Amino acid sequence: MLRRFRRRPVPARRPEVSAAVASGEAGHALRAPSRLHAFNRYEIKYLVDAAVARELRDEMDTVLDRDRHSGDGGYGVWSVYYDTSRLRFYWEKIEGLRFRRKLRIRHYGDRFAVTGETPVHVEIKQRVNRVTQKRRVRLPYRDALRLCDGREQVGHEPSERGFLEEVLDLVCRLDLRATAMTGYQRHAYVGRGADVGLRVTFDQRVRGRDRDFHLGADAANRFIVPPGKAIMEVKANERVPYWLTDLTAERNLQVVRLSKYCQSVEAHGLAPRSIFHIPGHDLDFGLSSALTARVEA
């Protein structure tokens, strides 16, 4: 199926983007990326019809490996985002600041099975120019809540101390509070051979809420991206393979600036809808009611 996508010579590696790039902006401290569970990547997003997403996933199956957690049905991803009362992190994204970040608690799997013992990730995701840096630590859910909501230091390994102190500094200094939640079903693929480091994900049924932020709460959500759409995201350490750029060009896929957190903020009326918001009536006729309908799980 993919014989038309011929691999081309791999270009020379680019030098890594230094964290010092962001040092000119006042008001942010503790910028240097930690080595603790740190990922530096380039990220590209596309918004595609669900039918196209299924076709693309079939093609990915021929050239990439499925994420070991993905399976046939994918897996759930649920995130609680923290922000200031004036939505500082939201506006940094909308204004396109060269350095911006957000704090979240993320769970993979069935949210209704979450207990205080369930492992979750406390993450700081930040953008330095075109490079996305994600740093995270794995904690029991009760400790993640003590850290982010209770503003207390929690038990940790020595190597985790710097990151946890950074999280605690952010929530205390900026008075961060749980602001929005997002959830979706993800199918993920990882590169092999010459494409090691490549990750392609398809997120569908993207929904969220603006209250009842406990991950295991039996609360209703609403679609924040039309249910007939999927978000395809390409993540690469150094480069995107030519066969993949050829594939997206052949299907005329357009890169979008899309933040699930911002979608949730705007869909729930916490901020005016920006030019980057994706409303149902602009994408699929008749989906407006589906987009605003409340859905379970």
Side-chain angles (χ1 to χ4, degrees):
M1 180 180 285
L2 287 177
R3 286 179 299 175
R4 61 186 178 280
F5 302 121
R6 294 175 295 177
R7 296 188 183 278
R8 302 178 187 174
V10 177
R13 293 170 62 91
R14 301 185 200 177
E16 289 189 356
V17 177
S18 168
V21 169
S23 61
E25 182 190 345
H28 290 288
L30 300 168
R31 297 174 184 228
S34 166
R35 295 183 182 179
L36 179 67
H37 305 292
F39 308 88
N40 290 0
R41 283 176 173 159
Y42 295 91
E43 296 184 354
I44 305 170
K45 295 179 182 178
Y46 305 89
L47 191 70
V48 301
D49 290 331
V52 174
R54 286 192 294 271
E55 295 173 2
L56 290 169
R57 282 168 42 202
D58 288 342
E59 302 223 32
M60 295 301 121
D61 270 325
T62 68
V63 289
L64 302 176
D65 294 328
R66 291 189 185 183
D67 181 286
R68 61 190 180 92
H69 300 293
S70 197
D72 291 334
Y75 57 90
V77 182
W78 292 90
S79 303
V80 177
Y81 288 86
Y82 289 74
D83 210 333
T84 68
S85 60
R86 295 188 176 184
L87 302 178
R88 170 175 173 161
F89 297 158
Y90 165 84
W91 286 111
E92 287 180 349
K93 166 64 177 179
I94 295 301
E95 293 169 6
L97 296 191
R98 289 180 13 176
F99 175 85
R100 57 184 183 268
R101 59 184 163 184
K102 50 196 171 191
L103 173 69
R104 67 192 179 198
I105 295 177
R106 171 162 285 189
H107 168 66
Y108 298 93
D110 179 6
R111 70 182 179 93
F112 292 116
V114 171
T115 68
E117 302 292 331
T118 301
V120 299
H121 291 95
V122 176
E123 299 181 347
I124 292 177
K125 185 175 182 180
Q126 63 189 39
R127 181 109 170 179
V128 181
N129 287 337
R130 294 176 56 241
V131 178
T132 299
Q133 301 171 341
K134 183 168 72 173
R135 294 171 290 136
R136 68 187 186 188
V137 66
R138 191 180 187 194
L139 295 172
Y141 186 39
R142 67 171 185 278
D143 285 351
L145 293 178
R146 282 179 55 205
L147 178 68
C148 297
D149 292 343
R151 306 181 185 190
E152 303 174 19
Q153 186 57 278
V154 297
H156 57 272
E157 298 294 328
S159 61
E160 299 169 343
R161 182 177 181 84
F163 178 75
L164 293 177
E165 287 182 344
E166 179 176 355
V167 172
L168 197 56
D169 171 74
L170 278 175
V171 296
C172 292
R173 178 166 50 85
L174 299 181
D175 192 24
L176 301 183
R177 306 283 178 174
T179 302
M181 187 169 176
T182 65
Y184 41 89
Q185 198 70 9
R186 168 168 285 182
H187 291 82
Y189 302 83
V190 294
R192 58 177 181 248
D195 295 331
V196 168
L198 175 68
R199 183 173 175 83
V200 181
T201 58
F202 296 86
D203 298 335
Q204 293 181 262
R205 287 183 52 79
V206 184
R207 50 215 191 275
R209 62 179 186 262
D210 62 346
R211 63 199 69 188
D212 300 321
F213 293 122
H214 191 284
L215 285 169
D218 186 12
N221 299 280
R222 65 189 299 178
F223 287 111
I224 58 175
V225 169
K229 296 290 182 177
I231 299 171
M232 173 184 172
E233 188 165 359
V234 177
K235 304 174 184 179
N237 294 340
E238 299 289 340
R239 63 177 184 87
V240 176
Y242 285 111
W243 66 262
L244 185 50
T245 58
D246 288 347
L247 177 62
T248 58
E250 180 185 82
R251 291 182 176 270
N252 198 31
L253 301 186
Q254 302 298 312
V255 175
V256 295
R257 280 189 62 188
L258 190 155
S259 163
K260 300 182 187 78
Y261 168 59
C262 292
Q263 283 289 122
S264 190
V265 165
E266 296 176 11
H268 291 96
L270 302 180
R273 294 195 173 188
S274 69
I275 60 173
F276 304 114
H277 185 80
I278 298 177
H281 64 268
D282 283 350
L283 295 172
D284 294 285
F285 180 75
L287 272 180
S288 295
S289 58
L291 185 65
T292 56
R294 298 184 69 79
V295 294
E296 298 299 323

